mmCIF file of all heavy atoms in Angstrom:
data_model
loop_
_atom_site.group_PDB
_atom_site.id
_atom_site.type_symbol
_atom_site.label_atom_id
_atom_site.label_comp_id
_atom_site.label_asym_id
_atom_site.label_seq_id
_atom_site.Cartn_x
_atom_site.Cartn_y
_atom_site.Cartn_z
ATOM 1 N N TYR A 1 -20.797 -28.938 39.050
ATOM 2 C CA TYR A 1 -19.634 -28.133 39.420
ATOM 3 C C TYR A 1 -19.010 -28.656 40.710
ATOM 4 O O TYR A 1 -17.795 -28.692 40.862
ATOM 5 C CB TYR A 1 -20.085 -26.678 39.591
ATOM 6 C CG TYR A 1 -19.011 -25.636 39.417
ATOM 7 C CD1 TYR A 1 -18.390 -25.446 38.192
ATOM 8 C CD2 TYR A 1 -18.649 -24.816 40.484
ATOM 9 C CE1 TYR A 1 -17.422 -24.468 38.036
ATOM 10 C CE2 TYR A 1 -17.688 -23.831 40.328
ATOM 11 C CZ TYR A 1 -17.074 -23.663 39.099
ATOM 12 O OH TYR A 1 -16.117 -22.697 38.947
ATOM 13 N N GLY A 2 -19.858 -29.091 41.644
ATOM 14 C CA GLY A 2 -19.361 -29.645 42.893
ATOM 15 C C GLY A 2 -18.671 -30.983 42.693
ATOM 16 O O GLY A 2 -17.670 -31.282 43.355
ATOM 17 N N ILE A 3 -19.179 -31.794 41.783
ATOM 18 C CA ILE A 3 -18.536 -33.078 41.482
ATOM 19 C C ILE A 3 -17.178 -32.845 40.845
ATOM 20 O O ILE A 3 -16.188 -33.525 41.161
ATOM 21 C CB ILE A 3 -19.439 -33.919 40.565
ATOM 22 C CG1 ILE A 3 -20.726 -34.306 41.316
ATOM 23 C CG2 ILE A 3 -18.718 -35.162 40.073
ATOM 24 C CD1 ILE A 3 -21.758 -34.979 40.445
ATOM 25 N N LEU A 4 -17.099 -31.852 39.944
ATOM 26 C CA LEU A 4 -15.812 -31.509 39.334
ATOM 27 C C LEU A 4 -14.823 -31.047 40.395
ATOM 28 O O LEU A 4 -13.640 -31.431 40.372
ATOM 29 C CB LEU A 4 -16.017 -30.418 38.288
ATOM 30 C CG LEU A 4 -14.759 -29.938 37.558
ATOM 31 C CD1 LEU A 4 -14.120 -31.079 36.781
ATOM 32 C CD2 LEU A 4 -15.093 -28.772 36.623
ATOM 33 N N ALA A 5 -15.288 -30.236 41.347
ATOM 34 C CA ALA A 5 -14.415 -29.779 42.430
ATOM 35 C C ALA A 5 -13.923 -30.957 43.259
ATOM 36 O O ALA A 5 -12.749 -30.991 43.672
ATOM 37 C CB ALA A 5 -15.171 -28.780 43.313
ATOM 38 N N LEU A 6 -14.784 -31.929 43.500
ATOM 39 C CA LEU A 6 -14.387 -33.120 44.252
ATOM 40 C C LEU A 6 -13.293 -33.890 43.514
ATOM 41 O O LEU A 6 -12.291 -34.294 44.111
ATOM 42 C CB LEU A 6 -15.605 -34.019 44.474
ATOM 43 C CG LEU A 6 -15.327 -35.415 45.043
ATOM 44 C CD1 LEU A 6 -14.782 -35.319 46.462
ATOM 45 C CD2 LEU A 6 -16.604 -36.259 45.018
ATOM 46 N N LEU A 7 -13.464 -34.093 42.236
ATOM 47 C CA LEU A 7 -12.488 -34.858 41.455
ATOM 48 C C LEU A 7 -11.146 -34.145 41.379
ATOM 49 O O LEU A 7 -10.087 -34.777 41.479
ATOM 50 C CB LEU A 7 -13.035 -35.100 40.041
ATOM 51 C CG LEU A 7 -14.267 -36.000 39.939
ATOM 52 C CD1 LEU A 7 -14.778 -36.045 38.506
ATOM 53 C CD2 LEU A 7 -13.947 -37.400 40.445
ATOM 54 N N LEU A 8 -11.176 -32.831 41.219
ATOM 55 C CA LEU A 8 -9.934 -32.081 41.055
ATOM 56 C C LEU A 8 -9.187 -31.881 42.364
ATOM 57 O O LEU A 8 -7.959 -31.741 42.362
ATOM 58 C CB LEU A 8 -10.238 -30.707 40.439
ATOM 59 C CG LEU A 8 -10.756 -30.721 39.005
ATOM 60 C CD1 LEU A 8 -11.233 -29.340 38.598
ATOM 61 C CD2 LEU A 8 -9.671 -31.209 38.049
ATOM 62 N N GLY A 9 -9.905 -31.859 43.469
ATOM 63 C CA GLY A 9 -9.271 -31.676 44.766
ATOM 64 C C GLY A 9 -8.998 -32.991 45.453
ATOM 65 O O GLY A 9 -7.900 -33.546 45.388
ATOM 66 N N ARG A 10 -10.000 -33.533 46.092
ATOM 67 C CA ARG A 10 -9.842 -34.792 46.828
ATOM 68 C C ARG A 10 -9.526 -35.957 45.892
ATOM 69 O O ARG A 10 -8.793 -36.880 46.249
ATOM 70 C CB ARG A 10 -11.099 -35.060 47.632
ATOM 71 C CG ARG A 10 -11.331 -34.027 48.745
ATOM 72 C CD ARG A 10 -12.724 -34.146 49.322
ATOM 73 N NE ARG A 10 -12.921 -33.289 50.478
ATOM 74 C CZ ARG A 10 -13.409 -32.039 50.405
ATOM 75 N NH1 ARG A 10 -13.696 -31.510 49.227
ATOM 76 N NH2 ARG A 10 -13.560 -31.319 51.511
ATOM 77 N N GLY A 11 -10.085 -35.933 44.681
ATOM 78 C CA GLY A 11 -9.814 -37.008 43.732
ATOM 79 C C GLY A 11 -8.358 -37.068 43.323
ATOM 80 O O GLY A 11 -7.770 -38.154 43.210
ATOM 81 N N LEU A 12 -7.761 -35.896 43.099
ATOM 82 C CA LEU A 12 -6.347 -35.860 42.722
ATOM 83 C C LEU A 12 -5.472 -36.374 43.861
ATOM 84 O O LEU A 12 -4.514 -37.132 43.630
ATOM 85 C CB LEU A 12 -5.936 -34.431 42.345
ATOM 86 C CG LEU A 12 -4.497 -34.263 41.870
ATOM 87 C CD1 LEU A 12 -4.238 -35.072 40.602
ATOM 88 C CD2 LEU A 12 -4.174 -32.784 41.627
ATOM 89 N N TYR A 13 -5.806 -36.001 45.088
ATOM 90 C CA TYR A 13 -5.063 -36.526 46.230
ATOM 91 C C TYR A 13 -5.234 -38.041 46.329
ATOM 92 O O TYR A 13 -4.283 -38.772 46.648
ATOM 93 C CB TYR A 13 -5.512 -35.883 47.541
ATOM 94 C CG TYR A 13 -4.707 -36.374 48.721
ATOM 95 C CD1 TYR A 13 -3.508 -35.766 49.056
ATOM 96 C CD2 TYR A 13 -5.128 -37.475 49.467
ATOM 97 C CE1 TYR A 13 -2.750 -36.237 50.115
ATOM 98 C CE2 TYR A 13 -4.370 -37.958 50.523
ATOM 99 C CZ TYR A 13 -3.187 -37.328 50.845
ATOM 100 O OH TYR A 13 -2.429 -37.809 51.881
ATOM 101 N N GLY A 14 -6.432 -38.527 46.049
ATOM 102 C CA GLY A 14 -6.661 -39.968 46.085
ATOM 103 C C GLY A 14 -5.776 -40.701 45.100
ATOM 104 O O GLY A 14 -5.218 -41.764 45.409
ATOM 105 N N LEU A 15 -5.640 -40.125 43.898
ATOM 106 C CA LEU A 15 -4.803 -40.759 42.881
ATOM 107 C C LEU A 15 -3.341 -40.777 43.297
ATOM 108 O O LEU A 15 -2.656 -41.808 43.182
ATOM 109 C CB LEU A 15 -4.961 -40.005 41.554
ATOM 110 C CG LEU A 15 -4.023 -40.437 40.420
ATOM 111 C CD1 LEU A 15 -4.342 -41.853 39.972
ATOM 112 C CD2 LEU A 15 -4.121 -39.462 39.249
ATOM 113 N N VAL A 16 -2.855 -39.656 43.784
ATOM 114 C CA VAL A 16 -1.422 -39.503 44.067
ATOM 115 C C VAL A 16 -1.044 -40.057 45.435
ATOM 116 O O VAL A 16 0.070 -40.579 45.610
ATOM 117 C CB VAL A 16 -1.030 -38.011 43.962
ATOM 118 C CG1 VAL A 16 0.411 -37.791 44.401
ATOM 119 C CG2 VAL A 16 -1.221 -37.526 42.531
ATOM 120 N N GLY A 17 -1.951 -39.971 46.431
ATOM 121 C CA GLY A 17 -1.603 -40.368 47.784
ATOM 122 C C GLY A 17 -2.255 -41.643 48.291
ATOM 123 O O GLY A 17 -1.603 -42.480 48.911
ATOM 124 N N LEU A 18 -3.546 -41.808 48.004
ATOM 125 C CA LEU A 18 -4.268 -42.939 48.590
ATOM 126 C C LEU A 18 -4.066 -44.241 47.821
ATOM 127 O O LEU A 18 -3.959 -45.309 48.439
ATOM 128 C CB LEU A 18 -5.757 -42.611 48.687
ATOM 129 C CG LEU A 18 -6.116 -41.428 49.607
ATOM 130 C CD1 LEU A 18 -7.623 -41.265 49.688
ATOM 131 C CD2 LEU A 18 -5.519 -41.601 50.999
ATOM 132 N N LEU A 19 -4.020 -44.186 46.504
ATOM 133 C CA LEU A 19 -3.751 -45.413 45.752
ATOM 134 C C LEU A 19 -2.369 -45.992 46.081
ATOM 135 O O LEU A 19 -2.240 -47.199 46.305
ATOM 136 C CB LEU A 19 -3.906 -45.166 44.260
ATOM 137 C CG LEU A 19 -5.354 -45.092 43.740
ATOM 138 C CD1 LEU A 19 -5.371 -44.861 42.236
ATOM 139 C CD2 LEU A 19 -6.122 -46.342 44.092
ATOM 140 N N PRO A 20 -1.308 -45.163 46.126
ATOM 141 C CA PRO A 20 -0.029 -45.702 46.592
ATOM 142 C C PRO A 20 -0.101 -46.248 48.020
ATOM 143 O O PRO A 20 0.585 -47.224 48.347
ATOM 144 C CB PRO A 20 0.916 -44.499 46.511
ATOM 145 C CG PRO A 20 0.339 -43.652 45.434
ATOM 146 C CD PRO A 20 -1.144 -43.804 45.587
ATOM 147 N N MET A 21 -0.942 -45.648 48.863
ATOM 148 C CA MET A 21 -1.097 -46.150 50.230
ATOM 149 C C MET A 21 -1.725 -47.540 50.220
ATOM 150 O O MET A 21 -1.303 -48.423 50.992
ATOM 151 C CB MET A 21 -1.964 -45.178 51.043
ATOM 152 C CG MET A 21 -1.963 -45.461 52.541
ATOM 153 S SD MET A 21 -2.975 -44.241 53.459
ATOM 154 C CE MET A 21 -2.056 -42.739 53.135
ATOM 155 N N LEU A 22 -2.705 -47.764 49.367
ATOM 156 C CA LEU A 22 -3.313 -49.087 49.249
ATOM 157 C C LEU A 22 -2.290 -50.123 48.782
ATOM 158 O O LEU A 22 -2.233 -51.244 49.310
ATOM 159 C CB LEU A 22 -4.480 -49.043 48.263
ATOM 160 C CG LEU A 22 -5.730 -48.271 48.700
ATOM 161 C CD1 LEU A 22 -6.721 -48.176 47.548
ATOM 162 C CD2 LEU A 22 -6.372 -48.936 49.898
ATOM 163 N N ILE A 23 -1.479 -49.713 47.807
ATOM 164 C CA ILE A 23 -0.441 -50.620 47.321
ATOM 165 C C ILE A 23 0.565 -50.916 48.419
ATOM 166 O O ILE A 23 0.959 -52.069 48.653
ATOM 167 C CB ILE A 23 0.253 -50.017 46.082
ATOM 168 C CG1 ILE A 23 -0.734 -49.961 44.910
ATOM 169 C CG2 ILE A 23 1.493 -50.828 45.701
ATOM 170 C CD1 ILE A 23 -0.220 -49.183 43.720
ATOM 171 N N GLY A 24 0.984 -49.861 49.123
ATOM 172 C CA GLY A 24 1.930 -50.051 50.220
ATOM 173 C C GLY A 24 1.385 -50.955 51.299
ATOM 174 O O GLY A 24 2.107 -51.808 51.842
ATOM 175 N N ALA A 25 0.100 -50.806 51.622
ATOM 176 C CA ALA A 25 -0.503 -51.652 52.655
ATOM 177 C C ALA A 25 -0.517 -53.115 52.228
ATOM 178 O O ALA A 25 -0.220 -54.014 53.032
ATOM 179 C CB ALA A 25 -1.920 -51.168 52.959
ATOM 180 N N SER A 26 -0.846 -53.367 50.967
ATOM 181 C CA SER A 26 -0.863 -54.764 50.500
ATOM 182 C C SER A 26 0.536 -55.363 50.518
ATOM 183 O O SER A 26 0.717 -56.535 50.875
ATOM 184 C CB SER A 26 -1.462 -54.834 49.094
ATOM 185 O OG SER A 26 -0.619 -54.201 48.137
ATOM 186 N N TRP A 27 1.529 -54.563 50.149
ATOM 187 C CA TRP A 27 2.911 -55.048 50.208
ATOM 188 C C TRP A 27 3.364 -55.251 51.649
ATOM 189 O O TRP A 27 4.101 -56.178 51.963
ATOM 190 C CB TRP A 27 3.849 -54.094 49.484
ATOM 191 C CG TRP A 27 3.672 -54.105 47.989
ATOM 192 C CD1 TRP A 27 2.877 -54.947 47.267
ATOM 193 C CD2 TRP A 27 4.292 -53.233 47.051
ATOM 194 N NE1 TRP A 27 2.960 -54.668 45.928
ATOM 195 C CE2 TRP A 27 3.827 -53.614 45.755
ATOM 196 C CE3 TRP A 27 5.174 -52.170 47.156
ATOM 197 C CZ2 TRP A 27 4.239 -52.969 44.596
ATOM 198 C CZ3 TRP A 27 5.604 -51.521 45.997
ATOM 199 C CH2 TRP A 27 5.130 -51.919 44.736
ATOM 200 N N GLY A 28 2.931 -54.354 52.529
ATOM 201 C CA GLY A 28 3.288 -54.477 53.935
ATOM 202 C C GLY A 28 2.767 -55.756 54.553
ATOM 203 O O GLY A 28 3.435 -56.383 55.394
#
C-alpha cells in the first residue's frame, strides 16, 4: 500500500515534472 502511495504521489510528479526537467537539462 505504501509503494502504491509512492507511485501515485511522488511517482506521478516524477513523470510530469522531473522527466521533463532531465530533458530540459540535457538540452540546456
Side-chain angles (χ1 to χ4, degrees):
Y1 204 65
I3 294 172
L4 180 62
L6 170 66
L7 294 175
L8 293 171
R10 294 168 173 92
L12 183 62
Y13 183 86
L15 173 66
V16 174
L18 297 184
L19 283 181
M21 191 178 296
L22 291 173
I23 293 171
S26 67
W27 290 353

